[in-house]
Amino acid sequence: DIVMTQSPLSLPVTPGEPASISCRSSQSLLLTNGYNYLDWYLQKPGQSPQLLFYLGSHRASGVPDRFSGSGSGTDFTLKISRVEADDVGFYYCMQTLQTPFTFGPGTTVEIK
Amino acid sequence: QVQLRESGPGLLKPSQTLSLTCTVSGVSVSGGGYYWSWVRQHPGKGLEWIGFIYFGGRTYYKPSLKGRLTISVDTSKNQFSLKLTSVTAADTAMYYCARGNFMEGQYTLYYGMDVWGQGTTVTVSS
């Protein structure tokens, strides 16, 4: 199985400031078609997960453009240019290169 | 508007069979370009991919659950289901169903799971 790791696991943030989450995979998620098989999800407290990005950097419908997904191969980053209070929750990366799909352990984002 | 809703028993005893149903509205489960997933979350823990099914019956399961897990689609009811046999306390979790998007070609492209149910809590206890 592909092992996903995230850092940090806990991220206190200040509204208006930027924030960044790192996700790494145990093997490259870049396929010869040029796509990175990585998704990002946000699970707000008490809610179901919601899709933020697919194929590494493709923003899902309705996701504000202050969120960005980048990276390639084994190293990926989710960035929030200016954190808002509504962004608190648990952020997960997930690889879709091969089954079983595997999630990272999650990063808890909370307001300082 | 596409909606998914899980249903099933909230409490089971060890060794029983868990059967969950995800009722889909706003889109056909037999529609092209979708796969139908189950994801679970143990209490206070992260997300765990369980498996999914494409319309047509092709299924992919988490290896550690193979032999106990079956995911199926019922087009007449526009539902898909999860059946997990011989449950133990380790199967206690919130179970989510979700719609995934994909496009087949030389390489399958996965466009993420964009619609999720609200989740259903399953507790296994004697």
Side-chain angles (χ1 to χ4, degrees):
Chain A
D1 297 3
I2 296 177
V3 177
M4 306 299 292
T5 57
Q6 292 180 230
S7 63
L9 296 183
S10 179
L11 181 60
V13 297
T14 301
E17 295 295 308
S20 180
I21 299 170
S22 173
C23 172
R24 288 185 173 172
S25 55
S26 60
Q27 65 184 76
S28 177
L29 303 182
L30 176 62
L31 207 54
T32 53
N33 59 6
Y35 289 97
N36 285 280
Y37 282 60
L38 181 101
D39 297 343
W40 286 98
Y41 293 89
L42 163 61
Q43 186 176 29
K44 296 182 179 180
Q47 296 186 19
S48 303
Q50 58 187 83
L51 177 66
L52 295 177
F53 291 91
Y54 58 91
L55 295 173
S57 60
H58 293 76
R59 190 179 292 107
S61 176
V63 175
D65 60 8
R66 55 199 178 75
F67 288 88
S68 63
S70 63
S72 186
T74 61
D75 292 320
F76 300 89
T77 302
L78 176 71
K79 291 183 179 177
I80 310 173
S81 59
R82 296 174 307 280
V83 171
E84 295 184 1
D86 190 50
D87 299 336
V88 299
F90 308 92
Y91 289 77
Y92 298 93
C93 58
M94 185 187 84
Q95 66 81 20
T96 58
L97 180 69
Q98 62 186 226
T99 59
F101 291 172
T102 44
F103 287 95
T107 294
T108 305
V109 171
E110 55 188 6
I111 299 296
K112 282 183 182 176
Chain B
Q1 183 185 3
V2 179
Q3 292 185 319
L4 279 64
R5 180 176 293 274
E6 305 89 348
S7 58
L11 180 63
L12 291 94
K13 297 184 187 306
S15 80
Q16 289 185 327
T17 295
L18 169 64
S19 293
L20 297 177
T21 297
C22 184
T23 300
V24 179
S25 59
V27 69
S28 172
V29 294
S30 59
Y34 303 125
Y35 62 91
W36 305 97
S37 293
W38 289 96
V39 173
R40 70 181 180 182
Q41 186 168 35
H42 294 105
K45 302 297 184 183
L47 301 173
E48 178 187 12
W49 179 85
I50 294 176
F52 67 77
I53 186 168
Y54 292 110
F55 175 66
R58 195 156 31 118
T59 53
Y60 296 87
Y61 299 144
K62 186 177 174 74
S64 61
L65 297 175
K66 259 184 184 177
R68 294 201 297 135
L69 176 65
T70 303
I71 298 176
S72 59
V73 166
D74 185 338
T75 56
S76 67
K77 297 180 180 178
N78 215 41
Q79 296 174 335
F80 64 103
S81 300
L82 170 153
K83 184 174 292 188
L84 187 65
T85 62
S86 305
V87 296
T88 70
D91 297 310
T92 293
M94 176 77 82
Y95 286 74
Y96 295 98
C97 61
R99 181 186 78 171
N101 302 270
F102 78 100
M103 184 172 72
E104 283 196 306
Q106 182 180 6
Y107 301 102
T108 301
L109 290 173
Y110 292 103
Y111 298 134
M113 294 181 284
D114 65 337
V115 183
W116 294 66
Q118 83 285 356
T120 188
T121 301
V122 173
T123 302
V124 180
S125 175
S126 55

